[in-house]
Amino acid sequence: MRHWGALLVALIGAGLLAIIGTTPPRAVPASAPATAFSAARAMADVRAIGHTPHPAGSAEHERVRDYLTGRLAGLGFTVSTTSSAISAAGAKAFRKQNGAAAPLSTITDIVAIRRGCDPALPAVMLMAHYDSVVGSPAAADDSAGVSSVLEAARAIAASGPARRDMIVLLTDGEELGLDGARAFFAGNPLREHVGVIVNLETRGGGGRASMFETGEGNGAMMRLFAGAVRRPVATSLSVFVYKHLPNDTDLTIAKAHGFPGFNFAFIGRPSQYHSPSAVPAALDQGALQDMGRQVLDLARGLLDAPALPGRAPDRVFFDAFGLVLIAYPAWAGWLLLGAAIGFYAVGAWRRVSPGTAAWGAATTLALLAGGGALLYGGNLLSGADGPVNYYDRLAAIPRLEWQILLICLGALALVWALLVGERDRIGIATGAAVPLLVLGTVAQAVAPTAAYPIVVPLLLGGAGLAAMRRPGGVGVAVVAAMLGIGYMLAMGFLLVEAVGPFIPVVAALPLAVASVLAMPLVPAVGRRQALIAAAVMLALAIGIALWVRLDALAASVATYSRFK
Ligand SMILES: [Zn+2]
């Protein structure tokens, strides 16, 4: 392989797959069948709720509550509202957002129930919060969630009677520290009737909607999820990552009370989070469609299940580019890891010198350590070294995505120029896989549900390398690289969207994995050209970092965050 054709085909394919995996579907028009979820129909509620800020305690908040109780009653629900005293933490959060305004004493949840055929069975609850923060119309957070609940409930009612009762809980005081959920799950008698919860949230105004959180022992729940939801977006990696982040939603409270649940959110267009700019026209209707259609499929599956899923050992799961959910028991990761090691051994047998393999291993270590250091330094340069406004950092994410991609490409060119050069590609690729196989083994041992982003691509990479022993086997390597690099691109994009401004070094892992998959297809690298390319990309990344650092506070930041 001394030309760029094969690598180019693999990279173009990978880019297309990544775009498919990260692009929300088209909004379904209002003319769709009554049993379908239509973002266009849901938008009528988004416009009614999310055109003006409606924080707890405001007159607009009362208007939204009246609107929602009316809508739910119209959909055949028995609706009630329950008021409860605000917590000390909630009162403090209220003062922080409102300044010297009169204190708030109570919050009011909306609780609605629609009977199914067998009211003795545990019910399915759909949950979202109807309060906004001060200063944000909150078309996304969480009018999108509330409107998706209403549209899904309408579609369910249109398909005839369900087996189970459906409960809708629209919480108040979520933005004041989850007080509404706390009140419901601590004391409302109806909580005894809840069998499973689906919660809807957003941390931005667009992008793919993902099922990002579920409970411990989720094996049976995920089996139902996979069977019920068409084109699901969900990964056990995000479940693992989210568990270790300080973020909370209403589902946190429910889970603490022992309720099983599924949590959906979209986090694209992050400048809209808690922002005055989060108006209905700015909301990505594709994101609304993506969330609503999955919630509707899942709610139908749960409502009609003869028995709700109990606890079963955790499963590893991830969507392949939003097209199909791949899921397997955690122990099966050992088989995949063994197969990956076997493939690399076959590919390297009597062909790879230990010296070349050592250079290969050095490329992976250099990308993880050096790439990580460059990503960390770039982030400091972009302003993370000083006091930061959280919402200003979120607003910078689209630019930080480019900064991080350029740093990764620069690091790749640098490492290929200095360590790969003219050396045998098969030997380099084999050696480069070794540190990742070790890392994959450690991950499989301590966090099996988070090991697949290493194990599965290496299985592909190993298969490609083994296939290259035969004439014509390069096609397998191209397809393997396309799938693996495509997944790393999509995963890297979503990781940066989720935690990029705070933990940018996460991008070093997909970078190292992608490099291993590309390596067998890389033609001769001219050292001079590669160094020039690295310099150009790193210079561009520095330019973006300085732009993010030196520009004014984003106009989109939450109004109350300006006082800090
Ligand atoms: Zn929210």
Side-chain angles (χ1 to χ4, degrees), residues 129 131 140-142 174-175 200-203 248-249 273-274:
H129 67 91
D131 63 321
D141 176 20
D142 194 20
E174 193 275 347
E175 302 290 8
L200 294 79
E201 264 290 0
T202 79
R203 199 212 67 188
D248 285 325
T249 71
Y273 186 47
H274 290 177

Side-chain angles (χ1 to χ4, degrees), residues 269-295:
R269 302 191 185 177
S271 65
Q272 289 184 36
Y273 186 47
H274 290 177
S275 168
S277 69
V279 294
L283 181 67
D284 175 358
Q285 295 192 27
L288 189 64
Q289 182 69 38
D290 208 22
M291 181 139 82
R293 67 170 185 89
Q294 292 185 75
V295 166

Side-chain angles (χ1 to χ4, degrees), residues 357-367 415 419 431-432 435:
W359 280 102
T363 62
T364 295
L365 297 174
L367 286 172
V415 165
L419 300 178

Side-chain angles (χ1 to χ4, degrees), residues 290-312:
D290 208 22
M291 181 139 82
R293 67 170 185 89
Q294 292 185 75
V295 166
L296 174 58
D297 280 352
L298 177 59
R300 279 206 174 105
L302 292 166
L303 281 166
D304 290 330
L308 290 178
R311 285 170 75 95

Side-chain angles (χ1 to χ4, degrees), residues 22 39 73 76 143 158 165 181 264 275 298 366 383 394 397 423 442 473 475 549-550:
T22 53
S143 305
D165 291 358
F264 286 84
S275 168
L298 177 59
L394 290 188
I397 283 176
R423 292 188 177 86
V442 173
R549 183 188 189 91
L550 297 174

Side-chain angles (χ1 to χ4, degrees), residues 19-43:
I19 290 170
I20 290 170
T22 53
T23 305
R26 233 186 273 268
V28 169
S31 56
T35 52
F37 184 95
S38 156
R41 287 193 286 244
M43 278 307 291

Side-chain angles (χ1 to χ4, degrees), residues 20 23 25 208 229-233 290 293-294 297 319 321-325:
I20 290 170
T23 305
R208 293 225 71 164
V229 182
R230 286 160 293 176
R231 298 194 61 199
V233 183
D290 208 22
R293 67 170 185 89
Q294 292 185 75
D297 280 352
D319 61 278
F321 310 106
L323 301 172
V324 63
L325 195 78

